[in-house]
Amino acid sequence: MKIFLCGTFCPNRRCSGIVWEPMLSHMPDFTFTARKVLYVALLISVSGCLGCGSSGNSGGGGGGGGGTTATSAHPPFRTRYLRTDLQYNPNELQFFPPHFTAYDGTHKRFFVSNTTQNRIDVFDGPSESPIGSIVVPLPFGLDVAPDGSKLYVGTTFGDVYLIDPGAMQVVQRFPSATLGPQGYTATQALILADGQLALMGALGGLYFDGSPNFAVWDPTANTLQVIPAGEFLGFGQIALSGDRTKVLVGGANIQELLLYDPTTNSSIVSSFIGGYISNIIPTPDGKRFFVFGSVADEVFDANTMAELGSFQSPCSYTSAAISLDGSTLFCSDQVGNVLAYDSNTLAPTGWIPNFNVLDLQSHIVLSAVDETGLIAGPIGHGVAFVDSQQVKSGSGGTDISISFLTPSTGPPNGGTAIQANYDVPVGVTVTQGTVYVGNGVPSDVTFSPVSVTGDAPPASFSGVADFTVVLPNGSMDMMPEDFSYGPTIVEVSTNAASAGGGAQGAIFGYGLGQQPSDVQVSIGGQPCTVVQVIPSVSPTFPYPFPMGAVIFTIPQGTAGATSTVTVTTANGTASASNSFQYVPALQSYALPGSSLMQGVYDATRGVLYFTDQAQIDVFSPATHNWLAPIPISFTNSKSRLVGVALSPDGNTLAVSDAGNNNIYVLNPSSPSSAKAFFVNTGVDVQPYGLAVTNSGAVYYATQDQNVDPPGGFNKLNTNTGVITNFEPVKYGDAFVRVLLTPDGNWVFVNDGPGDAGVWVVDTSNDSLTEGIQATLAGDGNEDAALSGDGTVLLASDLLTDDSLNVFGDITYVDRDTWLPVALYGQKVSSDGSLIFQPLTDGIDVHDGASGLLLYRVQFPVQFANVYDALALDNTDNLIFAITSSGIVQIDLHSLPVAALSRNEGRAVGGLKHARPIAFQAPTKLRNWNAIGRPHLRHLALSFSNSRRAISRHVLHGPKGN
C-alpha cells in the first residue's frame, strides 16, 4: 500500500508528495466505508521533501556523511521524468504548442500524444506511472470530455479518433474524407459543451504558417461549419473557453484574436498588443482567458473580448497552464523556470523547481494540471511531471545544469565513486545540496565549484535510475536514466535471426561496458561473441541518455524457438525474457555471373522472374533451382534490364531496359513473341519501374538526367506503339515505383523524392488524380509497395487504402535507426497486415496496423543494393532477397504476430538508405528529411538523423487538405 500525503510535515513549507512504503513484515488491514471518514495515525520518517530544511538531507549534502538505499528509480518527490521516446522539436511547435496532453479527472489519468510512436501514452496521476497506451497513427491535438466519457484526437494527416478513456480503447475512426459533406483535415480536436468538436485544420508548409481554417463538427449529424482564416492569413493557437461554449483562436502571423460562438455562428475579433500569440489559457469558470505573446501577455473577457489587463512575463514562445481551480497561472521561461502568477491580480507569486534534459525540448511543455497541482506535459524523449505546490518565493531559481555521471554504472550493493560536472551562472558558487541516485542518497557527497562527487548508494533493485541534484534554495536538475545498477537492457534491437546463426545482433542499454571484454551476451544460454561495445551510441546531439550498444554474433538456434537474451558485466546481470526468435535457416541459390535488379512472382506458373543484365532469369521455389533463362533477342551489350512486371492474368511480361531506352513485352509461355518499343522521347529517357495490364498497356516511369525535372510517367500502348505522357508526374528518378491493382483497374505511382506526389490512374480512361493527403503527409520516400489483394498501398512511408486515403504510417524508435542501412524494396504482405523493409543484412517487419517495428530479423549475408531487393511469393508466403551472387529464400512463418484492426489505428518511419548504384545515380546516403518542399512532418518534431539512414528522429505536423 502507498499513501500519498502533501503539505503536512514541513512547517511553513508545502511539500511534494511523500510516499509511505511500509517495511513491516505484517501490515494492518484497512477497511474503507463509503461516505465515512477514516482517520489513520502514522508515524513517518520524512526525507526528500523538496526545499525543506537545510542542505544535506540524510547525509547527502556537502560535507560528506552516510547515504540511504535507493528503492525507486526516481527521486523522492513528485517532480520527475518518464521516458516514452517521444521526439518533440520546440523549433517549430513552440510558436503555438498543440494540445498534446489532457487530464481525465474521472479516471485520474493523463493522456499524452506520442506522435512519433503512433500512440497515445496514458499515465496514472496519483502514482505518476505509465498504465498503458492506445495505438493511433500520428496522433496530434487531443481533448478529454469533463465527465471522462470520451477522448477525441486529431492526427497529422487529418483523421479523427474517438477513444474510451476508461477502457483505453479506440471506439471509432473518422477518416478525414468523411468529416462533413466535403471532408476536412482535422489536426486537433477539442470537445465543446454540446458534444460538437472544434477542429483545427491542416497546417501550412511550415508549422508556424498556421492553418487556413478551423471548423465546428457535429460527429452525430456529420455537419461541419468551416471558419476560414481570411484576414488572419492563418490560425495558430486554438482553445475553448472554460465552459466549453466558445472557440478561441489566435493569428499565426498577425496580432489578432477571434472568439467564435458556434451557437450563434458569430465571431468577435480583437487586437492583441503582446506580439505573436503562442498560448491561450482559459479560466475554468469560462469568464476570462489569458493570452501569452512574444512581447507581453493580456487577459480578456471570454464573452466580450474586452481587455481586462496585461502583464509582463518572460514566457514568450514557451508554454503555459492554469490550476484546476483557476487561481494560479503557470508559464515557463526560455531556460525552463516554471513561474506562478495570481490569476486575479496577475502578480507573480513565485517559481516552481523544475529540471532540464539534454534534448531539443529541454524542459516540460506545461499542458495539463490535476486537482493536486501536478502538471504534466511533453519533454524531450518523454513526459515530465512538475509539482506546482512547491512554489518558492522570488523570480526564479539557480540555473544549474549537470552532466552525465562518470562512471554511469555500478553494482547494486553501492559504493561506486561517482562524479558529475555542473554549470551555474557566473558569480554563483555551489557548496552544498542534496544528491539522489533514484530516491537513494549517496554517501560522502562533496561539492566543488564545478562538480559533485560521492559514493553511489546501494539499491534494492537492478536497473537504471535518475540522477538528481537539489540545491538548498530548491533549485534542481536531473539526468534521467543516468546510473545503471548492473547492466540495463533497454531494447534487444535485433530480436530475430535465422537458425543458422552467424548474423550480427545489437542490444541497446546502459552499463554495457567500454570494450568487448567488459560484457558477455548469451541467447537461450548460448554464448555470443561480442564484436563491439559502443559506450555512447547516439549519433545525434543533444540526446538525454547515456545510451550504449553491444554488437555481437548470433549463435545457431532452433527454428521457431523463443529465447531469453542475457547480458552480464562485472556489476551484475540483466535479462530480457523471451525476447528473441529464431526463423528457419536461409536457403541460398547462387547464380554465378548474375546482376539481378528486380523480381516478380508468377502464381500461374509457380516461378519468379528476375531482371538480369540482358536476360530474364527464372527460379522455381517448388524445385529449389534455377530454370532456363528467358532470352530477349533485342538486348545487347548496352542493355541494363531493371523493372519487370506481370499482368494480372499472367499472359504478359513487361521489362524495362534502361541501357537501350527500350520496353519489352512478351508472353512467358512463348518468350519468342517478345516485342521491343523504343521509348526515348527526349535526350536520354530511360525507363525503370513499370506495370502492365491484361490488354498490354504498359505504364512506366522514366528518368532523363539531361532535363529538369528529370522524371516522367507514361503509358505505352503496345498494340499501336503510341506513348501518352502524364505531364504532372515529372519529379521522379530511377527509383520510382509503378504498381497495378490485381483487378487491373488502378495504377499507382509514387513520384519520386520529396513531396512530388502520390498519384493514381484509372486505367479505364487514363484519368490522373493526385492523392493530396498522401502527397502532403508523406515523408518523400519514393519506395512503394502494394498488398497482394490490392487493398493496402505503402507509399512515402504512409499506409493508404486503394482510394489513397491515409490510415497510417511506418515508424521507428530513433535508436533503431542508428545502426542499420535500408535498401529499396519495401513489400506489403498479401492482406496488408505486415510491412517488410529490407536492410543490407536483414529485414524489418512492421505491423500493418500500428506501423511499429515488430521484428528486426538479421541474416549472415549481405543483400544487394539494387533497384528492388525483395520479391514475394504470396502463394507460399516466402520472401526472396537478391544478393550479389544470386538469391536467398527467407521464411518468416515462425514469427509470432498479433493482429490489430486497421480501424484501431494504423500507423511514423525513418531509415538511412543506401542508394542503388547501377543507374548513374548518386551513391551517397540520401537525407530524405531534407528533400523537396518544406515538410512539417520533418520540421515540427524533427531531429538530425537522415530519413533512410534508417532514421526518423522526427515528429511532424500535418499539411494540406
Side-chain angles (χ1 to χ4, degrees):
M1 182 182 74
K2 293 185 179 181
I3 298 178
F4 292 80
L5 306 173
C6 188
T8 305
F9 302 104
C10 296
N12 303 318
R13 297 278 188 175
R14 304 191 75 180
C15 300
S16 63
I18 301 169
V19 182
W20 177 56
E21 300 188 67
M23 301 300 291
L24 301 177
S25 60
H26 174 73
M27 298 307 306
D29 295 326
F30 294 94
T31 301
F32 294 89
T33 304
R35 304 179 185 273
K36 295 287 184 75
V37 178
L38 176 68
Y39 295 92
V40 181
L42 303 174
L43 179 62
I44 301 177
S45 174
V46 180
S47 67
C49 183
L50 186 59
C52 296
S54 60
S55 65
N57 292 328
S58 303
T68 63
T69 299
T71 59
S72 168
H74 307 293
F77 36 78
R78 296 206 299 169
T79 296
R80 68 174 51 173
Y81 175 99
L82 296 175
R83 176 171 56 84
T84 67
D85 295 312
L86 168 67
Q87 299 151 56
Y88 189 105
N89 184 359
N91 296 329
E92 291 291 331
L93 299 185
Q94 66 177 349
F95 294 103
F96 22 89
H99 294 270
F100 268 24
T101 309
Y103 178 65
D104 174 4
T106 301
H107 301 98
K108 311 300 182 189
R109 294 170 177 172
F110 291 96
F111 294 83
V112 185
S113 283
N114 193 334
T115 309
T116 50
Q117 295 306 305
N118 292 339
R119 68 176 189 250
I120 297 172
D121 294 318
V122 189
F123 302 89
D124 177 69
S127 65
E128 299 174 65
S129 59
I131 57 173
S133 61
I134 306 162
V135 174
V136 173
L138 304 174
F140 212 63
L142 56 77
D143 190 20
V144 177
D147 63 0
S149 62
K150 296 179 177 68
L151 182 151
Y152 282 96
V153 60
T155 61
T156 64
F157 54 88
D159 287 1
V160 173
Y161 283 78
L162 169 61
I163 292 168
D164 181 335
M168 296 189 295
Q169 293 180 347
V170 172
V171 175
Q172 187 173 358
R173 170 192 170 218
F174 299 92
S176 64
T178 67
L179 300 179
Q182 303 295 324
Y184 187 76
T185 301
T187 58
Q188 302 195 60
L190 306 179
I191 305 172
L192 289 156
D194 61 3
Q196 296 191 95
L197 301 184
L199 305 176
M200 179 60 87
L203 301 181
L206 298 173
Y207 182 79
F208 51 75
D209 291 338
S211 170
N213 51 53
F214 72 91
V216 173
W217 174 57
D218 185 335
T220 302
N222 197 29
T223 56
L224 187 80
Q225 180 66 46
V226 178
I227 297 87
E231 66 181 29
F232 279 71
L233 303 179
F235 291 128
Q237 188 56 269
I238 185 171
L240 301 182
S241 59
D243 59 7
R244 295 179 176 263
T245 62
K246 299 177 180 65
V247 185
L248 309 165
V249 292
N253 293 295
I254 65 171
Q255 300 174 41
E256 288 189 352
L257 294 157
L258 183 145
L259 182 148
Y260 177 72
D261 187 338
T263 304
T264 61
N265 190 27
S266 61
S267 302
I268 302 175
V269 177
S270 176
S271 296
F272 176 67
I273 64 172
Y276 294 110
I277 298 164
S278 60
N279 289 280
I280 302 174
I281 308 297
T283 58
D285 60 11
K287 296 179 179 180
R288 299 174 297 150
F289 63 91
F290 299 91
V291 181
F292 286 83
S294 57
V295 177
D297 315 302
E298 292 185 82
V299 58
F300 292 85
D301 186 289
N303 293 303
T304 66
M305 290 286 280
E307 183 192 354
L308 303 178
S310 63
F311 62 106
Q312 195 81 31
S313 77
C315 301
S316 62
Y317 292 141
T318 53
S319 61
I322 195 167
S323 61
L324 217 57
D325 63 6
S327 63
T328 307
L329 189 65
F330 308 103
C331 69
S332 59
D333 64 18
Q334 294 291 335
V335 296
N337 286 311
V338 176
L339 309 177
Y341 293 83
D342 186 299
S343 66
N344 292 307
T345 66
L346 306 183
T349 59
W351 59 279
I352 300 165
N354 188 25
F355 61 91
N356 290 345
V357 297
L358 192 64
D359 211 318
L360 293 181
Q361 183 59 48
S362 60
H363 51 270
I364 185 174
V365 180
L366 302 174
S367 302
V369 189
D370 74 2
E371 58 275 354
T372 71
L374 185 67
I375 307 176
I379 193 171
H381 280 78
V383 169
F385 296 93
V386 171
D387 186 0
S388 70
Q389 298 209 9
Q390 295 290 321
V391 178
K392 310 294 182 183
S393 61
S395 59
T398 303
D399 183 15
I400 179 172
S401 176
I402 59 178
S403 68
F404 291 127
L405 277 172
T406 54
S408 60
T409 185
N413 60 5
T416 302
I418 55 176
Q419 175 177 325
N421 297 329
Y422 60 80
D423 292 320
V424 291
V426 175
V428 174
T429 300
V430 177
T431 60
Q432 54 187 354
T434 306
V435 179
Y436 299 100
V437 177
N439 65 348
V441 178
S443 59
D444 296 323
V445 172
T446 302
F447 283 87
S448 77
V450 295
S451 66
V452 57
T453 59
D455 294 334
S460 62
F461 61 92
S462 296
V464 72
D466 303 331
F467 174 66
T468 310
V469 174
V470 182
L471 301 184
N473 66 355
S475 300
M476 64 177 294
D477 199 19
M478 180 191 302
M479 293 297 276
E481 302 189 355
D482 193 28
F483 187 82
S484 184
Y485 286 103
T488 297
I489 297 175
V490 172
E491 181 189 10
V492 179
S493 182
T494 304
N495 58 356
S498 54
Q504 291 215 328
I507 294 172
F508 293 110
Y510 306 113
L512 302 178
Q514 302 291 313
Q515 55 195 3
S517 60
D518 293 340
V519 60
Q520 294 84 48
V521 177
S522 66
I523 297 177
Q526 295 189 81
C528 308
T529 300
V530 175
V531 176
Q532 184 183 11
V533 172
I534 309 174
S536 180
V537 67
S538 172
T540 63
F541 182 85
Y543 187 73
F545 316 113
M547 188 78 70
V550 174
I551 311 300
F552 57 93
T553 302
I554 297 168
Q556 292 183 352
T558 302
T562 300
S563 302
T564 293
V565 176
T566 301
V567 174
T568 301
T569 70
N571 295 317
T573 296
S575 295
S577 299
N578 301 320
S579 60
F580 194 89
Q581 307 288 330
Y582 278 104
V583 301
L586 291 178
Q587 301 297 315
S588 297
Y589 303 103
L591 188 61
S594 63
S595 176
L596 309 181
M597 279 291 156
Q598 186 179 33
V600 64
Y601 181 68
D602 182 346
T604 301
R605 300 167 183 84
V607 297
L608 290 111
Y609 306 111
F610 290 91
T611 47
D612 205 331
Q613 188 76 38
Q615 67 183 20
I616 304 296
D617 295 320
V618 185
F619 180 80
S620 170
T623 61
H624 309 290
N625 65 343
W626 292 98
L627 306 180
I630 299 176
I632 299 177
S633 60
F634 304 100
T635 59
N636 53 37
S637 60
K638 292 174 55 180
S639 291
R640 173 62 271 181
L641 305 188
V642 181
V644 59
L646 189 67
S647 61
D649 63 7
N651 291 328
T652 305
L653 193 69
V655 182
S656 64
D657 184 346
N660 284 311
N661 313 95
N662 282 343
I663 288 177
Y664 309 120
V665 293
L666 57 104
N667 187 322
S669 297
S670 54
S672 61
S673 64
K675 297 179 181 179
F677 297 88
F678 186 65
V679 295
N680 185 8
T681 54
V683 179
D684 186 19
V685 176
Q686 299 173 327
Y688 291 98
L690 42 68
V692 58
T693 68
N694 291 341
S695 65
V698 179
Y699 294 85
Y700 63 99
T702 64
Q703 181 186 36
D704 186 342
Q705 297 188 30
N706 299 284
V707 298
D708 186 23
F713 177 55
N714 308 272
K715 173 188 175 182
L716 168 66
N717 186 324
T718 58
N719 295 312
T720 65
V722 173
I723 294 174
T724 303
N725 174 249
F726 297 92
E727 196 277 336
V729 188
K730 57 187 177 183
Y731 297 97
D733 56 20
F735 311 100
V736 170
R737 292 332 195 220
V738 180
L739 305 166
L740 179 70
T741 56
D743 59 14
N745 292 335
W746 306 96
V747 172
F748 299 104
V749 58
N750 190 18
D751 189 21
D755 297 332
V758 179
W759 302 81
V760 60
V761 175
D762 183 340
T763 59
S764 67
N765 57 20
D766 285 340
S767 60
L768 177 70
T769 304
E770 183 175 16
I772 297 296
Q773 188 187 39
T775 293
L776 297 179
D779 65 7
N781 176 21
E782 60 199 316
D783 209 348
L786 187 66
S787 63
D789 60 11
T791 62
V792 176
L793 173 71
L794 172 63
S796 203
D797 281 327
L798 291 171
L799 294 163
T800 83
D801 61 23
D802 54 8
S803 296
L804 289 181
N805 294 307
V806 176
F807 61 78
D809 192 14
I810 303 304
T811 191
Y812 284 90
V813 176
D814 57 355
R815 58 182 171 269
D816 284 325
T817 71
W818 294 340
L819 300 177
V821 174
L823 301 175
Y824 285 90
Q826 290 177 335
K827 294 294 178 290
V828 182
S829 64
S830 58
D831 62 356
S833 62
L834 296 174
I835 310 299
F836 305 106
Q837 168 64 62
L839 312 175
T840 54
D841 57 354
I843 293 177
D844 282 347
V845 182
H846 290 260
D847 180 76
S850 70
L852 297 174
L853 179 63
L854 295 176
Y855 296 101
R856 172 158 290 164
V857 192
Q858 298 290 154
F859 303 108
V861 297
Q862 290 287 307
F863 298 161
N865 184 14
V866 295
Y867 174 75
D868 189 353
L870 297 184
L872 294 187
D873 170 359
N874 283 323
T875 300
D876 302 306
N877 291 315
L878 298 174
I879 301 174
F880 292 86
I882 296 174
T883 68
S884 61
S885 60
I887 60 173
V888 292
Q889 176 183 296
I890 300 165
D891 185 348
L892 301 181
H893 282 90
S894 60
L895 294 178
V897 177
L900 268 178
S901 164
R902 289 185 197 171
N903 286 336
E904 289 184 20
R906 287 252 192 183
V908 179
L911 299 179
K912 192 161 41 191
H913 205 284
R915 189 76 183 242
I917 59 177
F919 318 120
Q920 303 175 0
T923 59
K924 65 180 182 180
L925 299 182
R926 296 297 299 271
N927 184 344
W928 297 100
N929 290 345
I931 296 174
R933 298 192 299 271
H935 199 291
L936 203 69
R937 182 160 176 199
H938 304 128
L939 298 176
L941 300 172
S942 68
F943 292 57
S944 59
N945 268 13
S946 64
R947 151 77 184 88
R948 294 223 74 62
I950 285 204
S951 79
R952 155 96 99 232
H953 278 191
V954 181
L955 177 79
H956 34 131
K959 274 180 58 178
N961 182 29

